[in-house]
């Protein structure tokens, strides 16, 4: 059976302002010194598993040009433009319906476009196991990440001790849980039965479509209509009408928490969701003073500081535990304790109508 | 007797990088929201005492254009260009020799160009007292500042209990002392006999020239030659030759510490030497979070932070006790504890040959 991949690339990534903007969100940025953008990395590391012509990108219509520019080898017809944001369930149904026009059935990997993986071989072998389990029966597989510490910013997957038939690496999912507080997260880790929810899924087109038909019938029927119109003159009209009518719903809530035959495969391959500017020092090398420095920077006695320079000189003198990001029209200076508040800057800019800076 | 003023404006002001540059040092900057530069303030607050045509500016030849631009009412012949930097003693001798060509004798106020004064009326009345004392006999008068706290960055003047004849505000100077350590500074304040050395002086031209003749004879004879050549075709040649041969010496060390009849008048008029970026929050109003903010800035939860914006947006998120200064080609982010290290940035830039940024 063919293996296909769907890369979800519609997100905004406000937490990487001022580098990320509405016009160029996080997945289209490079946050590593190699210059490769997040979505380029996502595609490249899939190539041992999926042919380029079977990789599909679902994104906001505003980013079609960016996808073409950054991924010129992806066939144009594989770049699917959502007319509006409706969370992951409609996105996946849309892609599944389009792929089902190309293949009677196929394995479908569903992957975020803005995560980093350090151990790409381990990642590939984990996905291979997931493909094996996802090809059997009507299994829905999600990749869980073995936690490294009690993170409170992620959802968790609670797995039971039952494994999938013939595969001792795939555990039945007991439940999905929301972001915990710190004591709860510590309990999760101590129990040895919780994994981080990575948002990566593997299943057959036929399996996920059957689940949509049962659990989200309105999304199912809309997606079928979109799939039928794909390649015809009426496609844009049908897509616009049907997609806009979809509820905004995550695949976790809409399908995974309600379906049968949900398995998780624990993975450990240096996964990082790159959720805020704090990630930059995690995913890059730091110097002896624990600084990450990129660009034209003079540091005098600064420690544990992340500096992403732009075109101008940045002089950092005696500062500690802050993040400095320079761009042509805005510079961010942010305490490491307050990276979530970068969103408040964007909110203020929107209030002030300064959309050119957002 | 005419009152004349000599404003010393040759300094570099490295501590205000990146706003100050070799091409535009501190005295030519505005560090207050009123937009008036330091040297403009210095001249304006003198006008109750001195006529514009009797104000002389001694500066580096590279800054002649800046002085003309910022002080168009100062006669061109009153702007004296030092061919090289030789500290304050040669600077003052040069000015005194030039002024003695205009007036047989005159009172001479000698003033830095880059200090701030909050209480200008009190400043003027203090100078009036100094003029009265400086006009009598051969007195040399220096203005001492009543200390507000045990500053370790200033030199101090130790005064005796003897006052000048007929003037109970002018105390004989016992000695000048260098920058003390903190325990010593605390002792100075506790003794009630030490004032900050402000670098402001008042005397007659005849008094200071006689002291040069006695204590720095080589400077005296060179200055006399420069004065004789003033207004003639040979002036530039004589100035170049004589001035370059002067030793680099401060007036404090060269004259004040060795001369007789030295008096100090204690002043208390909101004096600030504006010695580093820390001064900006002292000399300007701060907001409820103790931030000083100038320019296009969005602050989210930042406290006790000084931000001098340039043309771009600065977003300061959750930062505390730092100084941010933005210019077109460089941005400084500096801990308030390390403002003296700004000089190290300049040293590194010079090492790297990046003189355009210095």
């Amino acid at each position: 059976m063919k293996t296909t991949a769907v890369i979800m690339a519609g997100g905004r990534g406000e937490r990487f302002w001022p580098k990320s903007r509405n016009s160029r969100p996080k997945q289209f940025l490079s946050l590593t010194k190699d210059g490769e953008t997040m979505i380029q990395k996502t595609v490249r590391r899939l190539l041992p598993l999926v042919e380029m012509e079977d990789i599909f990108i679902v994104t906001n219509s505003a980013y079609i040009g960016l996808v073409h520019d950054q991924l010129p080898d992806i066939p144009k017809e594989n770049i699917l433009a959502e007319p509006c944001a409706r969370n992951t369930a409609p996105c996946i149904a849309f892609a599944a319906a389009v792929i089902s026009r190309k293949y009677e059935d196929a394995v479908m990997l569903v992957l975020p476009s803005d995560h980093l993986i350090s151990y790409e071989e381990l990642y590939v072998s984990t996905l291979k196991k997931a493909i094996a389990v996802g090809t059997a029966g009507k299994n829905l597989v999600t990749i869980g990440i073995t936690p490294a510490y009690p993170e409170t910013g992620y959802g968790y997957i609670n797995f039971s001790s039952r494994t999938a038939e013939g595969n001792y690496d795939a555990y039945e999912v007991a439940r999905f849980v929301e972001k915990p507080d710190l004591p709860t997260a510590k309990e999760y880790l101590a129990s040895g039965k919780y994994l981080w929810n990575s948002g990566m899924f593997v299943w057959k087109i036929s399996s996920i479509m059957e689940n949509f038909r049962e659990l989200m019938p309105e999304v199912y029927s809309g997606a079928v209509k979109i799939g039928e119109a794909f390649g015809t003159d009426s496609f844009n009209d049908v897509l616009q009408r049907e997609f806009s009518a979809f509820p905004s719903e995550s695949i976790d809530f809409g399908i995974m928490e309600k379906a049968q035959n949900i398995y998780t495969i624990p993975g450990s391959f240096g996964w990082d969701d790159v959720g805020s500017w704090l990630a930059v020092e995690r995913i890059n090398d730091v110097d002896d003073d624990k600084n990450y420095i990129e660009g034209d920077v003079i540091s005098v006695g600064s420690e544990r500081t992340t500096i992403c320079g732009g075109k101008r000189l940045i002089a950092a003198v005696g500062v500690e535990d802050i993040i400095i990001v320079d761009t042509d029209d805005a510079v961010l200076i942010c305490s490491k304790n307050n990276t979530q508040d970068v969103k408040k800057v964007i909110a203020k800019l929107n209030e002030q109508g300064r959309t050119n800076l957002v």
Side-chain angles (χ1 to χ4, degrees), chain A residues 99-115:
Chain A
I99 295 170
S100 69
R101 298 284 300 200
K102 186 169 178 182
Y103 300 115
E104 200 180 315
D105 202 357
V107 172
M108 180 187 190
L109 313 180
V110 178
L111 303 161
S113 56
D114 58 353
H115 295 175

